[in-house]
Every structure is written in structure tokens, then in C-alpha cells.
Amino acid sequence: SGILLLAPCVIEADWPGCTRVFLLNCRVLSESPMQIMRTSMPMISRLQRLHRLKTGPWKSTHIFENQLARGRALSRHWSTDIADATGIIACRSVSSFTPLNSLQKAAVAVLSAVQAAKDPSRADLVAALGETTGELAFTRMRDRMRQSVSGRELLQLRPRMTDAALENVYQMKSHTFGGAYADFMQKRHFHADDRPPVRFIADEEVAYVAARSREVHDLWHVLFRCPTTVLGELALKGMEFVQTGLPMTALSVAGAQWRLKQQDRSLLWRHYLPWALRAGAAAPDLLCLQYERHFEEDLDVLRRKWNIQIAPSRTKLQ
């Protein structure tokens, strides 16, 4: 049996081989410290959803909402993922590193690419493909961030975009950047905490860059007004390739374009990819922007400020 004690949460569980973990005020004491990396506050909503499932060997879940403020303060630096609802908890920091040799990386990349082409909604496979093929690109992105004031601050503070950290945007007006982002997430039933952790990048700073690029992806959807259809995702991937140089973005376009109908594939190559090249080149280094400081600004004003070129409307192209 084991107990996971988190500042705003207490979870009692009883399953074989559970590592006993005590977490209080971000201090980790464990009987098996090599198995536990870091655990965070932003898991509140996940634990609540898990509690509602009432499945698995969970005995009880008690949520103390009055300590959410402490959790939000810490959410910039920590993240957690619950593996499933069977009582198995995976505690991860920005990077829960899994070492792979060159052959293993190649195997993961190939298998992830094949399966992700079949099911583009598998964010874990897309993430694995990005990490195993893009470590050099992530390193170059980190180097660019080091050359800008805002980029260096991001690398130093390492803010995280989690459900807890973004809670305030749901009270913002719809014309603001934060309000538009909240509307985008709510309509699609997306959760910031659902993003997969970084697993195959050893360097913590480079791993943070990889995590940050995932966390701001939905913000780019809002800024560039790209829908979450296959066509919209591939258009945004084209813009990301210009900005980041990640091989995964080019591979996604090359592989997933065949899921489009002939008409949409023609639109992709004739209109959306040319737009992606222009928009990616015209915008500032998007990974160096501190989006959290601009949520209350008017979205249209912010687009002009950052020279954001919105994606063409599909209906107007037909």
C-alpha cells in the first residue's frame, strides 16, 4: 500500500508494488527515490476526474480546494501525468527521461511515424516522433532562446502552461488573447494537462524547450486562426517547420496529407503551405514570446504587434 500526499490533495491507494511517497510543500521523501522524479500541483483536475470514475483499487480521494493557490504558484515549475485509472501513478517532471541508444531511437521514430500517420490524434506518438528525430532542432531552438532577453528569462523561470496556471483565462473577455484561448479549449474539451511529458531528451533545458513547444501549440492555433481539422493541423505544422526546423513537422505534412480528400490536398499545397512559409517567416521567434504576460491584451492588436498573418479561410478559397 502507499500514500501520495500532495499539498492540495491526499490520495490513498492500495496496489501491489506501490512506492510509498510523501510530498508536502514540494519536498519529496521516498522509499525508492530513483523511481520518483518530481510531482506537481496541476493534477487537481485529473484527480477529480479520476475520482469521479470510481474505478480501480482507489480507496478514497480528498481534494482540499483551499490550497489551490499554493498549487497554482508551483504549477509553473512542475507537471504530473496519471498513467491510467487503474491505480498506477506516473510522477514526472518536465522530462521523465528514458535513455535510448541510436538503434532504439530509430525504432521508436519509425514505429511512431507509422502509427501516428494512421491515427494523428495520438499526441503521445507525435511527441515521441518529435523527440527522437528533433533533438538537434530543439537544441538550436534553445540556443536561439539564450540570445534573447525574453528567451533567457523563460529558460531561467521555466513557466508551465497547465490547467491550474491558466485558470484565470476562463474569466477573461472573449476579445482578449486569453479569452479566445479559453474559448478554443472549452469548445474542443481540451485540457492543458493532457499533453504528454518529454521522455527521450536527456538535457533538462532542451527538454523544457520541447515541453514549451508543445504547450504553446494551441496558442498558435488561436493566434493564426488555424482550425483543428487535419487540413488546419497540417497548415500549422508547415508554419511550425519554418519556425522550429523540427523534422517531425515536415514528416507530418508528408505523411498525413494522404488522409485528405483530393480537394483539400490541393488546397494544402496551393494555398495553405505557401501561407505557412510566409507566416512563419514574418512572425518573431514564437518560442521566445512570454505569452502568459499578454493574455489580457486584445487579440487583434496582439496579432498586429507580432506581425501574425492568420491562415486563409477555407470557405473563401472554395
mmCIF file of all heavy atoms in Angstrom, residues 136-181:
data_model
loop_
_atom_site.group_PDB
_atom_site.id
_atom_site.type_symbol
_atom_site.label_atom_id
_atom_site.label_comp_id
_atom_site.label_asym_id
_atom_site.label_seq_id
_atom_site.Cartn_x
_atom_site.Cartn_y
_atom_site.Cartn_z
ATOM 1 N N LEU A 136 18.314 17.744 -32.177
ATOM 2 C CA LEU A 136 19.200 18.790 -32.693
ATOM 3 C C LEU A 136 18.435 20.089 -32.923
ATOM 4 O O LEU A 136 18.927 21.184 -32.595
ATOM 5 C CB LEU A 136 19.850 18.323 -33.991
ATOM 6 C CG LEU A 136 20.816 19.318 -34.669
ATOM 7 C CD1 LEU A 136 21.967 19.675 -33.731
ATOM 8 C CD2 LEU A 136 21.348 18.739 -35.980
ATOM 9 N N ALA A 137 17.218 19.979 -33.454
ATOM 10 C CA ALA A 137 16.397 21.173 -33.681
ATOM 11 C C ALA A 137 16.018 21.827 -32.357
ATOM 12 O O ALA A 137 16.051 23.056 -32.229
ATOM 13 C CB ALA A 137 15.146 20.802 -34.471
ATOM 14 N N PHE A 138 15.665 21.024 -31.350
ATOM 15 C CA PHE A 138 15.341 21.580 -30.036
ATOM 16 C C PHE A 138 16.559 22.279 -29.429
ATOM 17 O O PHE A 138 16.433 23.305 -28.772
ATOM 18 C CB PHE A 138 14.851 20.478 -29.100
ATOM 19 C CG PHE A 138 13.454 20.014 -29.359
ATOM 20 C CD1 PHE A 138 13.175 18.669 -29.562
ATOM 21 C CD2 PHE A 138 12.405 20.933 -29.397
ATOM 22 C CE1 PHE A 138 11.874 18.244 -29.799
ATOM 23 C CE2 PHE A 138 11.103 20.517 -29.639
ATOM 24 C CZ PHE A 138 10.842 19.166 -29.842
ATOM 25 N N THR A 139 17.738 21.713 -29.639
ATOM 26 C CA THR A 139 18.965 22.337 -29.128
ATOM 27 C C THR A 139 19.201 23.684 -29.795
ATOM 28 O O THR A 139 19.591 24.665 -29.140
ATOM 29 C CB THR A 139 20.164 21.409 -29.360
ATOM 30 O OG1 THR A 139 19.921 20.150 -28.726
ATOM 31 C CG2 THR A 139 21.434 22.016 -28.785
ATOM 32 N N ARG A 140 18.972 23.755 -31.097
ATOM 33 C CA ARG A 140 19.128 25.032 -31.805
ATOM 34 C C ARG A 140 18.089 26.046 -31.328
ATOM 35 O O ARG A 140 18.392 27.246 -31.206
ATOM 36 C CB ARG A 140 18.982 24.802 -33.304
ATOM 37 C CG ARG A 140 20.164 24.042 -33.925
ATOM 38 C CD ARG A 140 19.895 23.675 -35.365
ATOM 39 N NE ARG A 140 21.044 23.032 -35.986
ATOM 40 C CZ ARG A 140 21.021 22.421 -37.163
ATOM 41 N NH1 ARG A 140 19.881 22.381 -37.857
ATOM 42 N NH2 ARG A 140 22.106 21.856 -37.654
ATOM 43 N N MET A 141 16.895 25.580 -31.061
ATOM 44 C CA MET A 141 15.867 26.479 -30.523
ATOM 45 C C MET A 141 16.287 27.006 -29.166
ATOM 46 O O MET A 141 16.105 28.201 -28.867
ATOM 47 C CB MET A 141 14.538 25.730 -30.433
ATOM 48 C CG MET A 141 13.938 25.372 -31.790
ATOM 49 S SD MET A 141 12.786 23.982 -31.745
ATOM 50 C CE MET A 141 11.489 24.641 -30.736
ATOM 51 N N ARG A 142 16.865 26.140 -28.328
ATOM 52 C CA ARG A 142 17.365 26.580 -27.026
ATOM 53 C C ARG A 142 18.453 27.629 -27.186
ATOM 54 O O ARG A 142 18.483 28.636 -26.448
ATOM 55 C CB ARG A 142 17.892 25.350 -26.272
ATOM 56 C CG ARG A 142 18.321 25.588 -24.820
ATOM 57 C CD ARG A 142 19.787 26.009 -24.667
ATOM 58 N NE ARG A 142 20.699 25.218 -25.438
ATOM 59 C CZ ARG A 142 21.287 24.091 -25.020
ATOM 60 N NH1 ARG A 142 21.018 23.611 -23.820
ATOM 61 N NH2 ARG A 142 22.154 23.456 -25.797
ATOM 62 N N ASP A 143 19.339 27.418 -28.154
ATOM 63 C CA ASP A 143 20.422 28.377 -28.377
ATOM 64 C C ASP A 143 19.875 29.737 -28.819
ATOM 65 O O ASP A 143 20.401 30.781 -28.410
ATOM 66 C CB ASP A 143 21.387 27.832 -29.425
ATOM 67 C CG ASP A 143 22.151 26.603 -28.930
ATOM 68 O OD1 ASP A 143 22.190 26.387 -27.697
ATOM 69 O OD2 ASP A 143 22.691 25.853 -29.768
ATOM 70 N N ARG A 144 18.825 29.726 -29.636
ATOM 71 C CA ARG A 144 18.209 30.989 -30.040
ATOM 72 C C ARG A 144 17.556 31.678 -28.850
ATOM 73 O O ARG A 144 17.610 32.906 -28.716
ATOM 74 C CB ARG A 144 17.164 30.759 -31.134
ATOM 75 C CG ARG A 144 17.734 30.334 -32.468
ATOM 76 C CD ARG A 144 16.771 30.669 -33.606
ATOM 77 N NE ARG A 144 15.415 30.200 -33.347
ATOM 78 C CZ ARG A 144 14.951 28.997 -33.692
ATOM 79 N NH1 ARG A 144 15.766 28.131 -34.299
ATOM 80 N NH2 ARG A 144 13.701 28.660 -33.437
ATOM 81 N N MET A 145 16.936 30.900 -27.988
ATOM 82 C CA MET A 145 16.306 31.489 -26.803
ATOM 83 C C MET A 145 17.344 32.137 -25.904
ATOM 84 O O MET A 145 17.077 33.176 -25.285
ATOM 85 C CB MET A 145 15.537 30.410 -26.044
ATOM 86 C CG MET A 145 14.317 29.883 -26.784
ATOM 87 S SD MET A 145 13.462 28.546 -25.913
ATOM 88 C CE MET A 145 12.733 29.451 -24.534
ATOM 89 N N ARG A 146 18.510 31.556 -25.819
ATOM 90 C CA ARG A 146 19.573 32.127 -24.991
ATOM 91 C C ARG A 146 20.036 33.482 -25.503
ATOM 92 O O ARG A 146 20.593 34.279 -24.748
ATOM 93 C CB ARG A 146 20.765 31.172 -24.946
ATOM 94 C CG ARG A 146 20.558 29.933 -24.068
ATOM 95 C CD ARG A 146 21.772 29.041 -24.142
ATOM 96 N NE ARG A 146 21.698 27.930 -23.188
ATOM 97 C CZ ARG A 146 22.617 26.973 -23.093
ATOM 98 N NH1 ARG A 146 23.677 26.995 -23.894
ATOM 99 N NH2 ARG A 146 22.474 26.008 -22.207
ATOM 100 N N GLN A 147 19.789 33.766 -26.779
ATOM 101 C CA GLN A 147 20.260 35.005 -27.380
ATOM 102 C C GLN A 147 19.281 36.168 -27.215
ATOM 103 O O GLN A 147 19.588 37.287 -27.596
ATOM 104 C CB GLN A 147 20.547 34.778 -28.872
ATOM 105 C CG GLN A 147 21.691 33.798 -29.122
ATOM 106 C CD GLN A 147 21.849 33.461 -30.587
ATOM 107 O OE1 GLN A 147 21.232 34.074 -31.456
ATOM 108 N NE2 GLN A 147 22.694 32.473 -30.886
ATOM 109 N N SER A 148 18.083 35.899 -26.677
ATOM 110 C CA SER A 148 17.108 36.974 -26.471
ATOM 111 C C SER A 148 16.824 37.115 -24.977
ATOM 112 O O SER A 148 16.925 36.149 -24.218
ATOM 113 C CB SER A 148 15.812 36.676 -27.227
ATOM 114 O OG SER A 148 15.086 35.641 -26.591
ATOM 115 N N VAL A 149 16.448 38.308 -24.589
ATOM 116 C CA VAL A 149 16.173 38.581 -23.184
ATOM 117 C C VAL A 149 14.990 37.746 -22.695
ATOM 118 O O VAL A 149 15.048 37.090 -21.646
ATOM 119 C CB VAL A 149 15.891 40.079 -22.961
ATOM 120 C CG1 VAL A 149 15.488 40.338 -21.516
ATOM 121 C CG2 VAL A 149 17.112 40.910 -23.339
ATOM 122 N N SER A 150 13.904 37.764 -23.455
ATOM 123 C CA SER A 150 12.719 37.008 -23.029
ATOM 124 C C SER A 150 12.977 35.510 -23.068
ATOM 125 O O SER A 150 12.490 34.760 -22.208
ATOM 126 C CB SER A 150 11.533 37.362 -23.924
ATOM 127 O OG SER A 150 11.813 37.048 -25.288
ATOM 128 N N GLY A 151 13.765 35.056 -24.045
ATOM 129 C CA GLY A 151 14.092 33.636 -24.123
ATOM 130 C C GLY A 151 14.918 33.176 -22.936
ATOM 131 O O GLY A 151 14.667 32.097 -22.374
ATOM 132 N N ARG A 152 15.888 33.992 -22.543
ATOM 133 C CA ARG A 152 16.711 33.640 -21.378
ATOM 134 C C ARG A 152 15.868 33.604 -20.106
ATOM 135 O O ARG A 152 16.065 32.749 -19.239
ATOM 136 C CB ARG A 152 17.860 34.640 -21.222
ATOM 137 C CG ARG A 152 18.969 34.471 -22.254
ATOM 138 C CD ARG A 152 20.215 35.244 -21.847
ATOM 139 N NE ARG A 152 19.980 36.679 -21.742
ATOM 140 C CZ ARG A 152 20.109 37.534 -22.744
ATOM 141 N NH1 ARG A 152 20.450 37.086 -23.951
ATOM 142 N NH2 ARG A 152 19.901 38.827 -22.566
ATOM 143 N N GLU A 153 14.915 34.530 -20.001
ATOM 144 C CA GLU A 153 14.053 34.539 -18.822
ATOM 145 C C GLU A 153 13.181 33.287 -18.774
ATOM 146 O O GLU A 153 12.960 32.708 -17.706
ATOM 147 C CB GLU A 153 13.184 35.792 -18.826
ATOM 148 C CG GLU A 153 12.390 35.978 -17.538
ATOM 149 C CD GLU A 153 11.670 37.314 -17.498
ATOM 150 O OE1 GLU A 153 11.938 38.164 -18.377
ATOM 151 O OE2 GLU A 153 10.838 37.501 -16.594
ATOM 152 N N LEU A 154 12.687 32.867 -19.937
ATOM 153 C CA LEU A 154 11.887 31.644 -19.991
ATOM 154 C C LEU A 154 12.709 30.430 -19.562
ATOM 155 O O LEU A 154 12.239 29.575 -18.807
ATOM 156 C CB LEU A 154 11.346 31.426 -21.401
ATOM 157 C CG LEU A 154 10.156 32.295 -21.829
ATOM 158 C CD1 LEU A 154 9.885 32.137 -23.317
ATOM 159 C CD2 LEU A 154 8.918 31.934 -21.022
ATOM 160 N N LEU A 155 13.944 30.356 -20.034
ATOM 161 C CA LEU A 155 14.802 29.228 -19.673
ATOM 162 C C LEU A 155 15.152 29.234 -18.196
ATOM 163 O O LEU A 155 15.359 28.177 -17.585
ATOM 164 C CB LEU A 155 16.082 29.257 -20.515
ATOM 165 C CG LEU A 155 15.916 28.955 -22.007
ATOM 166 C CD1 LEU A 155 17.237 29.145 -22.740
ATOM 167 C CD2 LEU A 155 15.394 27.540 -22.225
ATOM 168 N N GLN A 156 15.215 30.428 -17.619
ATOM 169 C CA GLN A 156 15.548 30.528 -16.199
ATOM 170 C C GLN A 156 14.352 30.178 -15.320
ATOM 171 O O GLN A 156 14.472 29.400 -14.364
ATOM 172 C CB GLN A 156 16.037 31.944 -15.871
ATOM 173 C CG GLN A 156 16.413 32.131 -14.406
ATOM 174 C CD GLN A 156 16.863 33.556 -14.114
ATOM 175 O OE1 GLN A 156 16.791 34.436 -14.970
ATOM 176 N NE2 GLN A 156 17.325 33.788 -12.901
ATOM 177 N N LEU A 157 13.173 30.739 -15.641
ATOM 178 C CA LEU A 157 11.988 30.544 -14.812
ATOM 179 C C LEU A 157 11.248 29.256 -15.146
ATOM 180 O O LEU A 157 10.586 28.670 -14.292
ATOM 181 C CB LEU A 157 11.043 31.731 -14.968
ATOM 182 C CG LEU A 157 11.586 33.089 -14.530
ATOM 183 C CD1 LEU A 157 10.559 34.179 -14.801
ATOM 184 C CD2 LEU A 157 11.984 33.066 -13.061
ATOM 185 N N ARG A 158 11.311 28.858 -16.402
ATOM 186 C CA ARG A 158 10.630 27.652 -16.891
ATOM 187 C C ARG A 158 9.155 27.607 -16.489
ATOM 188 O O ARG A 158 8.693 26.666 -15.834
ATOM 189 C CB ARG A 158 11.339 26.382 -16.405
ATOM 190 C CG ARG A 158 12.775 26.267 -16.910
ATOM 191 C CD ARG A 158 13.380 24.922 -16.567
ATOM 192 N NE ARG A 158 14.797 24.895 -16.890
ATOM 193 C CZ ARG A 158 15.595 23.846 -16.715
ATOM 194 N NH1 ARG A 158 15.090 22.729 -16.203
ATOM 195 N NH2 ARG A 158 16.868 23.904 -17.032
ATOM 196 N N PRO A 159 8.386 28.619 -16.873
ATOM 197 C CA PRO A 159 6.948 28.585 -16.581
ATOM 198 C C PRO A 159 6.283 27.456 -17.354
ATOM 199 O O PRO A 159 6.697 27.113 -18.455
ATOM 200 C CB PRO A 159 6.463 29.961 -17.050
ATOM 201 C CG PRO A 159 7.439 30.343 -18.119
ATOM 202 C CD PRO A 159 8.760 29.804 -17.674
ATOM 203 N N ARG A 160 5.240 26.882 -16.766
ATOM 204 C CA ARG A 160 4.496 25.797 -17.408
ATOM 205 C C ARG A 160 3.073 26.245 -17.696
ATOM 206 O O ARG A 160 2.467 26.948 -16.895
ATOM 207 C CB ARG A 160 4.479 24.547 -16.525
ATOM 208 C CG ARG A 160 5.854 24.051 -16.112
ATOM 209 C CD ARG A 160 6.736 23.716 -17.323
ATOM 210 N NE ARG A 160 6.070 22.816 -18.257
ATOM 211 C CZ ARG A 160 5.993 21.488 -18.100
ATOM 212 N NH1 ARG A 160 6.532 20.926 -17.031
ATOM 213 N NH2 ARG A 160 5.395 20.733 -19.003
ATOM 214 N N MET A 161 2.545 25.806 -18.810
ATOM 215 C CA MET A 161 1.160 26.088 -19.165
ATOM 216 C C MET A 161 0.324 24.885 -18.772
ATOM 217 O O MET A 161 0.212 23.915 -19.510
ATOM 218 C CB MET A 161 1.047 26.394 -20.650
ATOM 219 C CG MET A 161 1.751 27.665 -21.058
ATOM 220 S SD MET A 161 0.868 28.543 -22.336
ATOM 221 C CE MET A 161 1.878 30.037 -22.448
ATOM 222 N N THR A 162 -0.240 24.951 -17.587
ATOM 223 C CA THR A 162 -1.052 23.869 -17.049
ATOM 224 C C THR A 162 -2.460 24.380 -16.796
ATOM 225 O O THR A 162 -2.724 25.588 -16.842
ATOM 226 C CB THR A 162 -0.443 23.360 -15.737
ATOM 227 O OG1 THR A 162 -0.445 24.442 -14.784
ATOM 228 C CG2 THR A 162 0.989 22.888 -15.941
ATOM 229 N N ASP A 163 -3.380 23.462 -16.517
ATOM 230 C CA ASP A 163 -4.754 23.877 -16.221
ATOM 231 C C ASP A 163 -4.801 24.839 -15.040
ATOM 232 O O ASP A 163 -5.552 25.817 -15.050
ATOM 233 C CB ASP A 163 -5.610 22.642 -15.914
ATOM 234 C CG ASP A 163 -5.961 21.862 -17.172
ATOM 235 O OD1 ASP A 163 -5.932 22.461 -18.256
ATOM 236 O OD2 ASP A 163 -6.241 20.656 -17.064
ATOM 237 N N ALA A 164 -4.015 24.565 -14.012
ATOM 238 C CA ALA A 164 -4.012 25.431 -12.837
ATOM 239 C C ALA A 164 -3.433 26.800 -13.153
ATOM 240 O O ALA A 164 -3.960 27.830 -12.726
ATOM 241 C CB ALA A 164 -3.231 24.769 -11.702
ATOM 242 N N ALA A 165 -2.334 26.831 -13.900
ATOM 243 C CA ALA A 165 -1.681 28.096 -14.219
ATOM 244 C C ALA A 165 -2.543 28.957 -15.146
ATOM 245 O O ALA A 165 -2.433 30.182 -15.138
ATOM 246 C CB ALA A 165 -0.323 27.832 -14.858
ATOM 247 N N LEU A 166 -3.395 28.317 -15.958
ATOM 248 C CA LEU A 166 -4.208 29.042 -16.933
ATOM 249 C C LEU A 166 -5.644 29.251 -16.468
ATOM 250 O O LEU A 166 -6.499 29.637 -17.252
ATOM 251 C CB LEU A 166 -4.212 28.273 -18.263
ATOM 252 C CG LEU A 166 -2.852 28.116 -18.941
ATOM 253 C CD1 LEU A 166 -2.953 27.157 -20.116
ATOM 254 C CD2 LEU A 166 -2.314 29.465 -19.408
ATOM 255 N N GLU A 167 -5.893 29.026 -15.209
ATOM 256 C CA GLU A 167 -7.256 29.100 -14.690
ATOM 257 C C GLU A 167 -7.875 30.472 -14.907
ATOM 258 O O GLU A 167 -9.082 30.592 -15.198
ATOM 259 C CB GLU A 167 -7.254 28.742 -13.203
ATOM 260 C CG GLU A 167 -8.626 28.635 -12.589
ATOM 261 C CD GLU A 167 -8.559 28.260 -11.119
ATOM 262 O OE1 GLU A 167 -7.589 28.653 -10.433
ATOM 263 O OE2 GLU A 167 -9.482 27.569 -10.658
ATOM 264 N N ASN A 168 -7.095 31.527 -14.804
ATOM 265 C CA ASN A 168 -7.637 32.884 -14.888
ATOM 266 C C ASN A 168 -8.143 33.243 -16.273
ATOM 267 O O ASN A 168 -8.993 34.131 -16.406
ATOM 268 C CB ASN A 168 -6.584 33.905 -14.454
ATOM 269 C CG ASN A 168 -6.295 33.829 -12.959
ATOM 270 O OD1 ASN A 168 -7.137 33.359 -12.187
ATOM 271 N ND2 ASN A 168 -5.125 34.277 -12.559
ATOM 272 N N VAL A 169 -7.641 32.589 -17.325
ATOM 273 C CA VAL A 169 -8.045 32.981 -18.674
ATOM 274 C C VAL A 169 -9.526 32.711 -18.924
ATOM 275 O O VAL A 169 -10.140 33.334 -19.804
ATOM 276 C CB VAL A 169 -7.195 32.257 -19.748
ATOM 277 C CG1 VAL A 169 -5.723 32.571 -19.577
ATOM 278 C CG2 VAL A 169 -7.443 30.757 -19.746
ATOM 279 N N TYR A 170 -10.119 31.799 -18.150
ATOM 280 C CA TYR A 170 -11.526 31.471 -18.355
ATOM 281 C C TYR A 170 -12.462 32.559 -17.836
ATOM 282 O O TYR A 170 -13.676 32.478 -18.052
ATOM 283 C CB TYR A 170 -11.841 30.127 -17.700
ATOM 284 C CG TYR A 170 -11.127 28.986 -18.378
ATOM 285 C CD1 TYR A 170 -9.884 28.549 -17.922
ATOM 286 C CD2 TYR A 170 -11.668 28.378 -19.500
ATOM 287 C CE1 TYR A 170 -9.207 27.520 -18.567
ATOM 288 C CE2 TYR A 170 -11.001 27.349 -20.154
ATOM 289 C CZ TYR A 170 -9.773 26.922 -19.681
ATOM 290 O OH TYR A 170 -9.104 25.912 -20.326
ATOM 291 N N GLN A 171 -11.911 33.562 -17.164
ATOM 292 C CA GLN A 171 -12.717 34.703 -16.735
ATOM 293 C C GLN A 171 -12.477 35.929 -17.610
ATOM 294 O O GLN A 171 -13.075 36.985 -17.384
ATOM 295 C CB GLN A 171 -12.399 35.063 -15.275
ATOM 296 C CG GLN A 171 -13.064 34.153 -14.240
ATOM 297 C CD GLN A 171 -12.418 32.807 -14.130
ATOM 298 O OE1 GLN A 171 -11.193 32.712 -13.989
ATOM 299 N NE2 GLN A 171 -13.213 31.739 -14.188
ATOM 300 N N MET A 172 -11.619 35.810 -18.617
ATOM 301 C CA MET A 172 -11.279 36.957 -19.460
ATOM 302 C C MET A 172 -12.298 37.127 -20.579
ATOM 303 O O MET A 172 -12.983 36.184 -20.978
ATOM 304 C CB MET A 172 -9.873 36.782 -20.043
ATOM 305 C CG MET A 172 -8.778 36.812 -19.002
ATOM 306 S SD MET A 172 -7.113 36.647 -19.736
ATOM 307 C CE MET A 172 -6.107 36.598 -18.246
ATOM 308 N N LYS A 173 -12.395 38.345 -21.083
ATOM 309 C CA LYS A 173 -13.338 38.658 -22.159
ATOM 310 C C LYS A 173 -12.915 37.973 -23.455
ATOM 311 O O LYS A 173 -11.732 37.731 -23.688
ATOM 312 C CB LYS A 173 -13.422 40.172 -22.342
ATOM 313 C CG LYS A 173 -13.988 40.897 -21.124
ATOM 314 C CD LYS A 173 -14.081 42.390 -21.365
ATOM 315 C CE LYS A 173 -14.677 43.099 -20.139
ATOM 316 N NZ LYS A 173 -14.760 44.554 -20.351
ATOM 317 N N SER A 174 -13.895 37.696 -24.289
ATOM 318 C CA SER A 174 -13.661 36.886 -25.484
ATOM 319 C C SER A 174 -12.745 37.551 -26.499
ATOM 320 O O SER A 174 -12.108 36.864 -27.298
ATOM 321 C CB SER A 174 -14.991 36.541 -26.159
ATOM 322 O OG SER A 174 -15.695 37.732 -26.515
ATOM 323 N N HIS A 175 -12.662 38.893 -26.482
ATOM 324 C CA HIS A 175 -11.818 39.570 -27.469
ATOM 325 C C HIS A 175 -10.344 39.575 -27.064
ATOM 326 O O HIS A 175 -9.479 39.938 -27.864
ATOM 327 C CB HIS A 175 -12.294 41.015 -27.678
ATOM 328 C CG HIS A 175 -12.089 41.897 -26.469
ATOM 329 N ND1 HIS A 175 -10.906 42.572 -26.232
ATOM 330 C CD2 HIS A 175 -12.919 42.198 -25.442
ATOM 331 C CE1 HIS A 175 -11.017 43.253 -25.106
ATOM 332 N NE2 HIS A 175 -12.222 43.049 -24.603
ATOM 333 N N THR A 176 -10.053 39.169 -25.840
ATOM 334 C CA THR A 176 -8.662 39.126 -25.399
ATOM 335 C C THR A 176 -7.997 37.831 -25.863
ATOM 336 O O THR A 176 -8.673 36.853 -26.219
ATOM 337 C CB THR A 176 -8.567 39.209 -23.867
ATOM 338 O OG1 THR A 176 -9.197 38.048 -23.291
ATOM 339 C CG2 THR A 176 -9.255 40.460 -23.348
ATOM 340 N N PHE A 177 -6.694 37.826 -25.845
ATOM 341 C CA PHE A 177 -5.930 36.638 -26.223
ATOM 342 C C PHE A 177 -6.274 35.483 -25.292
ATOM 343 O O PHE A 177 -6.538 34.361 -25.739
ATOM 344 C CB PHE A 177 -4.440 36.982 -26.167
ATOM 345 C CG PHE A 177 -3.523 35.854 -26.559
ATOM 346 C CD1 PHE A 177 -3.921 34.871 -27.450
ATOM 347 C CD2 PHE A 177 -2.230 35.783 -26.030
ATOM 348 C CE1 PHE A 177 -3.056 33.839 -27.818
ATOM 349 C CE2 PHE A 177 -1.373 34.764 -26.386
ATOM 350 C CZ PHE A 177 -1.788 33.783 -27.280
ATOM 351 N N GLY A 178 -6.290 35.748 -24.000
ATOM 352 C CA GLY A 178 -6.606 34.704 -23.034
ATOM 353 C C GLY A 178 -8.030 34.197 -23.171
ATOM 354 O O GLY A 178 -8.286 32.988 -23.096
ATOM 355 N N GLY A 179 -8.974 35.109 -23.389
ATOM 356 C CA GLY A 179 -10.363 34.710 -23.551
ATOM 357 C C GLY A 179 -10.570 33.866 -24.802
ATOM 358 O O GLY A 179 -11.339 32.889 -24.787
ATOM 359 N N ALA A 180 -9.902 34.238 -25.897
ATOM 360 C CA ALA A 180 -10.003 33.457 -27.131
ATOM 361 C C ALA A 180 -9.396 32.070 -26.949
ATOM 362 O O ALA A 180 -9.914 31.076 -27.465
ATOM 363 C CB ALA A 180 -9.302 34.199 -28.265
ATOM 364 N N TYR A 181 -8.298 32.013 -26.202
ATOM 365 C CA TYR A 181 -7.678 30.709 -25.923
ATOM 366 C C TYR A 181 -8.598 29.839 -25.074
ATOM 367 O O TYR A 181 -8.765 28.640 -25.341
ATOM 368 C CB TYR A 181 -6.342 30.921 -25.217
ATOM 369 C CG TYR A 181 -5.704 29.651 -24.700
ATOM 370 C CD1 TYR A 181 -5.112 28.753 -25.578
ATOM 371 C CD2 TYR A 181 -5.703 29.351 -23.336
ATOM 372 C CE1 TYR A 181 -4.528 27.578 -25.115
ATOM 373 C CE2 TYR A 181 -5.125 28.188 -22.868
ATOM 374 C CZ TYR A 181 -4.531 27.304 -23.759
ATOM 375 O OH TYR A 181 -3.969 26.145 -23.293
#
